[in-house]
Amino acid sequence: QVQVVESGGGLVQPGGSLRLSCAASGSIFRMSVMGWYRQAPGKQRELVASITSLGSTSYANLVKGRFTISRDNAKNTVFLQMNSLKPEDTAVYYCLARLGPVDSWGQGTQVTVSS
C-alpha cells in the first residue's frame, strides 16, 4: 500500500494561485494512478484531476484550464497547480494513490479562497 501526505494548502484571495503537493511512499508509486479530490462542507467528495502512470491527465469540467496536475516519479510526488482560484474552490483537498483495487488516501489539506 502507498502512503500519501498532502501539503501546500492555505488561504488565498480570489484570482490567486496555490500549488499542492502529495508525497507518496513506496517504490510502486510510479505504477499508481494518482488523483486529487476535494470535499467542501456539506458536499460529497469529488474528483478534481487525475494522472496515470504514463502521464495522461484528466480534469473535472469546473477546473479545466485553471488547474494542472503533474507528477515527478523520481521524487514520488504529484502536484496540483491551481490558478485563478475562486471561492467555490474552497474545500479540503485529498490525494489518492490507486494501484489496482487498492486505494490509499492522504489526510487532506485545507484550501480556502476568500478576500
Side-chain angles (χ1 to χ4, degrees):
Q1 189 173 12
V2 179
Q3 294 183 328
V4 295
V5 179
E6 305 95 336
S7 61
L11 173 64
V12 64
Q13 292 187 341
S17 298
L18 279 177
R19 189 192 196 202
L20 305 183
S21 299
C22 171
S25 66
S27 59
I28 59 176
F29 168 83
R30 61 189 63 203
M31 296 186 290
S32 301
V33 175
M34 302 298 296
W36 284 99
Y37 286 71
R38 68 186 182 187
Q39 188 167 19
K43 295 187 177 181
Q44 290 188 333
R45 191 172 297 188
E46 62 180 1
L47 175 64
V48 175
S50 64
I51 185 167
T52 69
S53 59
L54 297 179
S56 295
T57 59
S58 64
Y59 297 91
N61 288 335
L62 289 175
V63 306
K64 279 182 180 177
R66 300 189 297 123
F67 291 10
T68 302
I69 189 171
S70 60
R71 66 190 297 162
D72 185 338
N73 287 337
K75 297 182 179 179
N76 282 11
T77 303
V78 63
F79 304 98
L80 185 69
Q81 178 67 42
M82 305 185 294
N83 299 327
S84 302
L85 283 161
K86 305 175 181 180
E88 50 264 41
D89 294 317
T90 295
V92 178
Y93 283 70
Y94 297 90
C95 181
L96 167 70
R98 173 167 291 162
L99 183 63
V102 180
D103 286 349
S104 301
W105 290 93
Q107 81 289 348
T109 185
Q110 176 71 45
V111 171
T112 302
V113 185
S114 175
S115 56

